[in-house]
Amino acid sequence: MSIGNSPEDERPFPDESQEARPTVGRALQQARIAAGLTVDDVSSATRVRMAIVHAIERDDFAPCGGAVYARGHIRTLARAVHLDPEPLIAQYDAEHGGRPAPTPAAPLFEAERIRPERRGPNWTAAMVAAIVVVIGFVGFTAFKGGDGSGDAKSPVAEGTKPATVKSAPPTPKRLKPAEPTGEPSDSAIAAAPQDKVTVQVSAPNGRSWISAKDHNGRMLFDGLLKKGQSKTFQDSAKINLILGDAGAIELYVNGKKIEDTFRPGAVERLTYTKGDPVAG
């Protein structure tokens, strides 16, 4: 009979706390049932799909799409069934390799900022530049060629006196014909047309007020005729005259001088028609 503990006594005692603690999914399921909720109730309250809720309660976290989403679903479901989510998340991390260490943001940001951006060659810009160069070269060549041809054809050689180029005489300006004044001249009186009546009134000896109208009664002149002045009137039928001082007036009618002796200061009313002058 040996003294001491048997091999069975040397085996480690089982951790009753580990065996008593349920898994994450089992704990969520038990809390849901204890709260009197169905899977549909939890899915509606948390907006987590029923298939994912069933999978988590079976400890199948693959449908969650990754550890980050699994932790988020555990936290959301735990709050819906009135459990503290932190112990469950810690248990999940312990069972699935733990939470990955966070990656420092600054180095990644710096690396991304200084990373050179690769771009392909800009063929459009290269083609445009090439076309511009070709056009410029062609234009320069044409310009130089034009200068050379002009030098070759120039009649002035070195050491010779250039010929004097006579400028073209200025183009004479065309004189605008004088506008007709409407008053026949003395020559017109001499060659008075037979189909019109022409009357020339002159004041060689003094001044006189005169008035002249055509056959329609239209006023041709109404004013003072000063000494040395004359007026000529023409109409197709007749001329009506009023002379304020007939003695100071000389009349030529249809090219003939009227020999009537008008008294100085006398007012005369005269009418002349075509043909031989007849005063009415």
Side-chain angles (χ1 to χ4, degrees), residues 255-279:
K256 294 182 180 180
K257 184 177 181 181
I258 303 300
E259 298 297 341
D260 293 347
T261 56
F262 299 118
R263 295 188 307 273
V267 176
E268 298 288 342
R269 298 177 181 271
L270 306 172
T271 299
Y272 295 100
T273 59
K274 294 181 291 184
D276 288 337
V278 176

Side-chain angles (χ1 to χ4, degrees), residues 114-233:
I114 64 176
R115 182 180 300 168
E117 182 180 359
R118 295 182 179 179
R119 293 184 180 179
N122 193 341
W123 296 110
T124 303
M127 291 179 63
V128 172
I131 293 173
V132 170
V133 171
V134 171
I135 294 175
F137 178 75
V138 172
F140 178 76
T141 304
F143 177 76
K144 294 299 289 183
D147 289 347
S149 61
D151 293 342
K153 294 179 181 180
S154 176
V156 181
E158 279 190 30
T160 61
K161 184 177 180 181
T164 303
V165 179
K166 295 183 178 180
S167 59
T171 304
K173 295 184 179 179
R174 294 183 179 180
L175 297 178
K176 186 177 180 181
E179 296 182 359
T181 60
E183 298 182 0
S185 61
D186 293 341
S187 60
I189 292 295
Q194 298 298 320
D195 58 341
K196 293 183 180 180
V197 54
T198 304
V199 177
Q200 185 184 49
V201 183
S202 302
N205 302 320
R207 62 180 185 175
S208 174
W209 172 85
I210 65 172
S211 173
K213 294 183 180 179
D214 62 7
H215 73 283
N216 290 322
R218 183 173 63 90
M219 184 67 68
L220 300 177
F221 181 79
D222 184 15
L224 182 66
L225 190 67
K226 296 180 180 180
K227 183 178 180 180
Q229 291 183 340
S230 65
K231 291 285 184 182
T232 303
F233 310 106

Side-chain angles (χ1 to χ4, degrees), residues 20-51:
R21 184 172 64 178
T23 62
V24 174
R26 182 66 176 169
L28 291 173
Q29 185 183 38
Q30 290 176 354
R32 175 179 61 79
I33 294 173
L37 301 173
T38 63
V39 174
D40 190 9
D41 295 335
V42 174
S43 176
S44 299
T46 61
R47 300 193 179 213
V48 178
R49 289 182 297 168
M50 292 179 60

